[in-house]
Amino acid sequence: MQDLEKLQTLFNQAVELESDALAAFLDQACGDDTALRQQLENLLEADRQQTQGSDFSLADEAARVADSMAGSDPDADLEGKVLGAYRLLERIGAGGMGTVFLAERADGAFQRQVAVKVVRRGMDSEQVLQRFQAEREILSRLDHPNIAALLDGGMTPDGRPYLVMEYVDGVPLTEYCDGNRLSISRRLSLFQAVCRAVHHAHRNLVVHRDLKPSNILVDEAGTVKLLDFGIAKLLDDSEDVQLTRTGMRALTPAYASPEQLAGEPVTTGTDVYALGVILYELLAGRRPFEALRTPEEMRQQVLSGDAPKPSTAITKMPADSDGQHSAKTLETISASRSVPPGRLRQALEGDLDTICLMAIRREPAERYGSAEQLAEDVDRHLAGQPVQAQAPSLGYRFGKFVRRHRVGVATTAAVVLAFAALITFYTQQLQEERDTALEQQARAEAVTEFLTGLFSEADPFFSLGEDVTARQILETGRDNLAELDDQPELQATMEQVLGRVYYAVGNSPQAEELLTEAATHFEPVGGLDAAEISLVLGFIQQDRGDYAAARASFDYTFDERVKVLGPEHELVREAIGAQAFLEETEANFAEAAVLHERAFAMAKALFPGDDLVVAQAHSDLGGFYWTQDRREEAESVLGEGIAMMERLYPEGHPLTGELMRQMGELLRDMARYEEAEPYLLGAIEMQEKMLGKRVHEVAVSWNALSTLYSATGRTEEAIDANQYMIGILEELFDGATPALGPAYNNLAFMLMDQERYDEAIENFDRSLGILDALDVPPDHFNRTFPSSGKAEVLMIQDRLDEAEPLWRNALEVRLAVVGEEHRLTNETRSDLAALLIERGTFDEAEALLFPAHAFFTANDLPESLNRREANERMAEFYERQGLVDKAAPYWEALEAAEAAMETSDA
């Protein structure tokens, strides 16, 4: 091994030299020995690539050199041999210390493949054997689902130790994310799994010391596995072993911390630094320090330089180490994250910039205290909560509040900060393609001046102690628009911003006025601004029942986004989703199904694997299937969405709450009440935790819970829950809002259960009044719910003349909209038939009752309310005509169902 020792000595000397001195050194040291020079140059190139963060390993190159000096591969004869219980199938890797083989159980005890790592023959010095044993001790301490597990170990016949480890068939973390075009949120979810695996190692007193993407594999199922603890160090190891260079480097400089490069002691902060570099690369497509020509340049930059923010780095891709322009561009980086370039920079600005830079601070004490703290800050960012890495200023925390409470913003400060967030988006992101730097600066200054005027309204020095409401702030902003007459584009942007905020706080008329004015500036030129305005206008038009106008608005949004972004883009998918909900609202269910399913398919194609957008698509499609009585499909889609969100956000997310509410309502409608209640209670708990208690999403979940209580006979609890929900909505919205109509309708049914009939009719009329205020047409499908409920009360009060036209109208609308074979149509048939039986109009009653009875017999359990009512009405139909024998089977079926219910209750 004397030649290898000489090569090692020369390498240690050469690696410190600048390029201009290196050639002379090689000439003198190697002379005419071309083989030695080639080996030395190969090692130096491997070291250079490793310094840049390449997966090319210096240790691997050193092993190849050692093999070539030995004249053969010393471990080649192990292929096909049996070590202990394992047959070595093929060599899959080699390093300076060991060779790794793919293996299987030789005794057939199980079929699982494993990786067997054997100390290389010729490398089994006392020092290497000690390190190998240390690795075995380290791995035996670790038991975590995201760390490749140690399964067994032993000795080869010639006395070399080997380890048997879990075999991970995967690709490096960065390669997996880019290859699957994973979104930022999905990347963050995988990164959190890495952090928690590292934290587990730290809790067991182990520092990895060589964290990098090639040591973090992701398999086909999307499971992260951390491996290669070959240079890990036990924190309680009393021996001070210098591992910066044990003959050859045993770290990767591109991911090494300042203290490692300086030869100082390592701590858990060393791994936190490497995690920060990995996070930076996952987000920005590059590392904070790269494309430097020599290891010494890298070392000096890490020790004394400042890394750019990730959001800045993506726009300034460096040349590579040979001076060539990097193949990575903002466009390619954005494409691999499935977002447009402007939105990628927007996504990274703020929290993610701050989290990355804190993790890679030069001093270990200034970084996150643990890998777990880093993961928790990512959790906070994903949940829209303030992160610990950000200085907790009042403005920052209020900005987070606004983003978490998009609906129902009601405080002065929150409204002003909503302006700030939206203005930032429109003036810095959407305009970036067409504005020069000077124009952007002028725009930013104008926005600042405009906002300063709004803030002064809330300042007690100017308001003289008078309370200033959110509405007054909005009105001031609207009045101040005239000051921007000489800046029409900025004025239109501010109209757009104010219009969106007015819509968020429930003032649709003012929102529409401002957005319509903004459209006069943007629509002639088209583009994303015009499309965004049209989308919000479409929502306003849909809310008031002007469906033709809403359709035109959504179609315009779709066309403009396709024109600018192409057909396969998330914003185009969003426009298709808006069109789908409009068709659903108009009860064009066949068209709605096509659009919902198209949007769902696009989401899965654009964002493969687990992603927030895909989970939202599960919510949209599952909710639609639920409304269409496609219950098994709805349960499957919603269940998949919940599982995906729990994988993405184990600590919770507002969308998880929304999916849980939908599942709870679906199970309630399937009479699976015991299963439904935990979903609804869990939805409320999660939404209140994530969003606050007085927001629209929470109100909707309270409404769902109230209907469950009502269905299970807990009427007092139902009414309390319903009125709590109505209180939230009345607090959030000024005047009529679509959500109040169903709320009053549900309350009316609960009051009816308590035989408080006059109050029930009063609330059915309130529900209809909301629809009137929203200009919903007289023949609209949504009117059939309160009108049918009111008819039922009138029937109970023997006011048949008033009930009959309501039921006839509801039946006509439902037949036209959802057709013959729909539950709602057959419920109305059965109800109207009951009234006609009471009148003695048996021929028409028969034409309605028989198909309704057939439908519920085919589709419902015997104990369901609709089937029991249908049986009772069939019995009455025959009995009223004196046909007692024909009535008897229906009475018997009714009695059997009620007996079964009593037995079940007992």
Side-chain angles (χ1 to χ4, degrees):
M1 300 298 291
Q2 195 168 13
D3 289 342
L4 183 60
E5 291 174 1
K6 178 183 177 181
L7 180 64
Q8 179 176 303
T9 300
L10 293 176
F11 170 82
N12 288 341
Q13 294 171 354
V15 78
E16 302 293 348
L17 296 176
E18 299 294 338
S19 56
D20 54 355
L22 180 60
F25 173 82
L26 293 175
D27 288 341
Q28 181 180 358
C30 300
D32 295 332
D33 192 341
T34 56
L36 175 63
R37 182 166 184 147
Q38 184 63 56
Q39 290 163 348
L40 188 53
E41 287 179 342
N42 288 346
L43 288 172
L44 291 169
E45 173 61 19
D47 184 71
R48 186 190 70 79
Q49 290 192 36
Q50 183 170 274
T51 298
Q52 300 302 315
S54 168
D55 290 341
F56 194 92
S57 167
L58 175 61
D60 289 352
E61 181 61 27
R64 282 189 284 273
V65 170
D67 289 348
S68 68
M69 287 182 170
S72 64
D73 179 356
D75 289 327
D77 61 341
L78 287 178
E79 287 191 8
K81 298 292 178 64
V82 175
L83 294 182
Y86 301 93
R87 177 177 290 105
L88 308 188
L89 302 176
E90 61 176 311
R91 187 171 73 165
I92 56 175
M97 187 173 73
T99 304
V100 183
F101 295 87
L102 180 66
E104 64 183 6
R105 289 280 296 205
D107 57 8
F110 58 82
Q111 299 301 313
R112 178 182 180 184
Q113 291 185 323
V114 297
V116 175
K117 185 173 183 179
V118 186
V119 169
R120 296 170 59 84
R121 187 179 296 124
M123 299 297 292
D124 47 346
S125 66
E126 186 63 29
Q127 183 186 21
V128 170
L129 291 175
Q130 287 177 0
R131 284 186 57 201
F132 200 86
Q133 287 300 117
E135 182 174 4
R136 181 172 180 175
E137 181 182 350
I138 287 166
L139 289 169
S140 69
R141 291 187 178 202
L142 305 179
D143 181 14
H144 190 277
N146 297 115
I147 297 178
L150 175 65
L151 304 175
D152 202 350
M155 300 291 287
T156 65
D158 58 356
R160 290 179 291 147
Y162 65 85
L163 304 178
V164 181
M165 297 173 292
E166 176 184 0
Y167 172 61
V168 182
D169 185 9
V171 297
L173 176 63
T174 49
E175 182 181 332
Y176 178 85
C177 291
D178 289 349
N180 289 284
R181 297 181 64 202
L182 295 193
S183 66
I184 294 296
S185 62
R186 180 64 180 126
R187 288 166 185 257
L188 292 175
S189 179
L190 290 174
F191 177 73
Q192 286 176 300
V194 176
C195 288
R196 292 187 166 114
V198 172
H199 182 64
H200 172 80
H202 290 174
R203 290 182 62 188
N204 285 276
L205 305 179
V206 177
V207 183
H208 190 285
R209 302 207 294 186
D210 195 26
L211 290 170
K212 55 187 176 182
S214 60
N215 282 340
I216 304 165
L217 301 187
V218 188
D219 63 22
E220 287 186 354
T223 302
V224 170
K225 288 287 183 178
L226 180 60
L227 51 139
D228 197 354
F229 280 81
I231 66 167
K233 187 179 191 304
L234 297 176
L235 291 181
D236 59 356
D237 189 350
S238 59
E239 183 181 2
D240 183 15
V241 180
Q242 172 57 264
L243 284 177
T244 300
R245 187 173 278 135
T246 54
M248 302 298 178
R249 290 178 188 265
L251 53 77
T252 307
Y255 299 90
S257 67
E259 59 268 25
Q260 282 178 292
L261 295 176
E264 297 170 355
V266 299
T267 66
T268 56
T270 301
D271 283 349
V272 170
Y273 181 93
L275 287 170
V277 177
I278 293 167
L279 176 60
Y280 195 113
E281 188 172 2
L282 285 172
L283 298 176
R286 54 162 290 186
R287 294 176 294 278
F289 304 109
E290 62 179 23
L292 302 169
R293 291 178 178 273
T294 69
E296 182 57 26
E297 285 181 1
M298 170 68 76
R299 180 175 179 274
Q300 290 302 321
Q301 185 76 318
V302 172
L303 291 176
S304 60
D306 292 321
K309 296 177 181 179
S311 62
T312 302
I314 60 173
T315 63
K316 299 178 180 179
M317 296 307 294
D320 62 23
S321 57
D322 296 323
Q324 302 298 314
H325 186 70
S326 170
K328 289 184 176 180
T329 65
L330 176 58
E331 288 70 26
T332 60
I333 293 169
S334 301
S336 66
R337 285 147 183 80
S338 297
V339 291
R343 290 211 170 186
L344 176 59
R345 192 174 75 179
Q346 179 193 8
L348 301 187
E349 283 180 331
D351 287 350
L352 294 178
D353 278 341
T354 309
I355 289 171
C356 282
L357 295 183
M358 179 169 175
I360 61 172
R361 287 178 181 169
R362 192 168 297 115
E363 295 299 325
E366 295 180 1
R367 300 172 200 152
Y368 286 98
S370 69
E372 178 72 7
Q373 287 182 11
L374 174 54
E376 287 173 352
D377 235 7
V378 173
D379 266 336
R380 280 185 281 270
H381 165 74
L382 291 171
Q385 298 172 343
V387 300
Q388 298 301 309
Q390 171 71 43
S393 67
L394 179 63
Y396 171 76
R397 291 188 179 279
F398 263 118
K400 281 296 180 187
F401 175 86
V402 171
R403 283 187 284 276
R404 292 201 310 275
H405 298 75
R406 291 181 299 277
V407 178
V409 177
T411 67
T412 297
V415 168
V416 173
L417 283 156
F419 295 158
L422 286 167
I423 290 165
T424 297
F425 174 75
Y426 286 110
T427 62
Q428 295 182 10
Q429 305 304 323
L430 292 180
Q431 308 300 331
E432 66 180 359
E433 297 295 333
R434 61 173 181 264
D435 288 354
T436 66
L438 289 175
E439 287 172 337
Q440 288 184 11
Q441 180 179 354
R443 184 181 301 277
E445 290 172 353
V447 168
T448 300
E449 183 178 349
F450 188 91
L451 280 178
T452 300
L454 296 182
F455 274 111
S456 68
E457 288 291 313
D459 190 331
F461 182 81
F462 293 99
S463 65
L464 302 179
E466 180 183 351
D467 288 337
V468 179
T469 67
R471 181 178 296 182
Q472 288 171 305
I473 291 291
L474 283 166
E475 290 172 353
T476 298
R478 184 195 59 204
D479 294 342
N480 289 351
L481 286 173
E483 298 174 6
L484 304 177
D485 285 344
D486 59 339
Q487 301 176 73
E489 187 164 2
L490 177 62
Q491 186 178 56
T493 298
M494 291 308 309
E495 288 167 342
Q496 183 176 2
V497 169
L498 285 165
R500 286 171 60 86
V501 177
Y502 266 115
Y503 180 63
V505 298
N507 191 335
S508 293
Q510 187 60 65
E512 185 172 19
E513 180 181 327
L514 288 163
L515 291 167
T516 301
E517 184 63 31
T520 62
H521 176 85
F522 286 115
E523 280 193 357
V525 296
L528 297 181
D529 290 289
E532 186 74 18
I533 292 168
S534 187
L535 182 71
V536 182
L537 283 172
F539 292 145
I540 295 169
Q541 292 154 351
Q542 181 174 334
D543 288 346
R544 70 160 179 261
D546 189 353
Y547 300 127
R551 185 181 302 278
S553 294
F554 293 150
D555 288 348
Y556 178 85
T557 297
F558 174 82
D559 292 341
E560 287 300 308
R561 287 180 172 178
V562 169
K563 189 186 303 180
V564 176
L565 303 169
E568 301 300 322
H569 193 279
E570 164 56 16
L571 290 182
V572 175
R573 192 200 73 85
E574 180 187 62
I576 294 171
Q579 292 172 322
F581 280 113
L582 175 61
E583 297 292 359
E584 185 179 343
T585 302
E586 286 199 85
N588 299 324
F589 295 122
E591 293 85 349
V594 171
L595 292 168
H596 274 301
E597 289 168 354
R598 179 181 172 190
F600 182 77
M602 281 184 69
K604 295 182 73 173
L606 288 169
F607 305 99
D610 291 349
D611 189 273
L612 187 63
V613 172
V614 181
Q616 180 64 61
H618 278 79
S619 174
D620 296 342
L621 183 62
F624 173 72
Y625 283 159
W626 164 46
T627 66
Q628 297 306 293
D629 235 7
R630 296 165 64 174
R631 297 179 175 186
E632 290 184 0
E633 292 168 280
E635 185 173 3
S636 174
V637 172
L638 293 174
E640 289 170 4
I642 291 170
M644 183 179 295
M645 286 303 297
E646 289 175 344
R647 291 192 297 270
L648 284 170
Y649 304 104
E651 303 303 315
H653 189 281
L655 180 56
T656 311
E658 170 70 8
L659 283 157
M660 291 173 70
R661 176 192 63 77
Q662 291 175 293
M663 181 66 87
E665 291 195 273
L666 172 66
L667 294 171
R668 175 206 62 202
D669 289 353
M670 297 168 75
R672 290 159 59 181
Y673 302 125
E674 291 185 1
E675 296 174 69
E677 186 168 357
Y679 276 105
L680 296 177
L681 291 172
I684 291 172
E685 180 181 3
M686 183 169 294
Q687 290 170 330
E688 288 184 342
K689 173 186 173 183
M690 296 289 171
L691 304 172
K693 293 187 175 183
R694 310 296 286 181
V695 296
H696 180 264
E697 291 90 336
V698 172
V700 173
S701 293
W702 274 104
N703 182 54
L705 184 63
S706 73
T707 59
L708 173 67
Y709 287 157
S710 179
T712 53
R714 297 155 66 180
T715 309
E716 290 295 339
E717 292 175 88
I719 291 174
D720 288 345
N722 180 274
Q723 291 184 325
Y724 180 79
M725 178 267 293
I726 289 173
I728 295 174
L729 293 177
E730 290 178 339
E731 179 181 312
L732 291 177
F733 297 100
D734 182 14
T737 184
L740 274 173
Y744 291 133
N745 185 69
N746 291 340
L747 177 58
F749 276 108
M750 296 167 199
L751 293 167
M752 186 171 67
D753 289 341
Q754 290 193 330
E755 300 182 1
R756 295 159 63 179
Y757 299 126
D758 291 341
E759 293 174 76
I761 288 178
E762 180 182 334
N763 279 281
F764 282 129
D765 285 339
R766 283 180 178 172
S767 182
L768 291 165
I770 294 292
L771 297 173
D772 290 338
L774 295 171
D775 296 324
V776 174
D779 59 349
H780 192 276
F781 186 74
N782 287 350
R783 286 186 178 273
T784 64
F785 295 98
S787 65
S788 292
K790 183 177 179 179
E792 189 172 345
V793 179
L794 293 171
M795 176 80 170
I796 292 170
Q797 294 180 323
D798 203 28
R799 296 159 65 180
L800 305 186
D801 289 344
E802 297 173 72
E804 185 174 348
L806 295 175
W807 265 329
R808 287 191 181 279
N809 176 260
L811 179 58
E812 180 181 352
V813 171
R814 288 177 171 178
L815 279 168
V817 171
V818 295
E820 299 266 354
E821 295 300 314
H822 194 278
R823 181 172 305 277
L824 293 173
T825 302
N826 285 285
E827 284 178 2
T828 311
R829 279 173 165 161
S830 181
D831 289 337
L832 180 56
L835 183 145
L836 295 171
I837 291 169
E838 191 69 24
R839 286 190 181 281
T841 312
F842 297 116
D843 289 343
E844 188 179 1
E846 180 178 354
L848 296 170
L849 183 57
F850 279 44
H853 181 270
F855 177 88
F856 292 124
T857 300
N859 292 284
D860 285 15
L861 295 172
E863 59 268 25
S864 74
L865 176 61
N866 282 328
R867 187 161 169 183
R868 284 184 288 119
E869 281 188 340
N871 278 324
E872 182 178 6
R873 288 166 180 172
M874 287 293 289
E876 290 179 349
F877 171 79
Y878 285 118
E879 203 164 77
R880 289 288 187 93
Q881 299 177 73
L883 304 172
V884 177
D885 291 343
K886 287 189 175 183
Y890 298 103
W891 287 125
E892 290 169 3
L894 181 61
E895 289 170 2
E898 291 175 345
M901 292 173 63
E902 289 175 4
T903 302
S904 175
D905 291 341

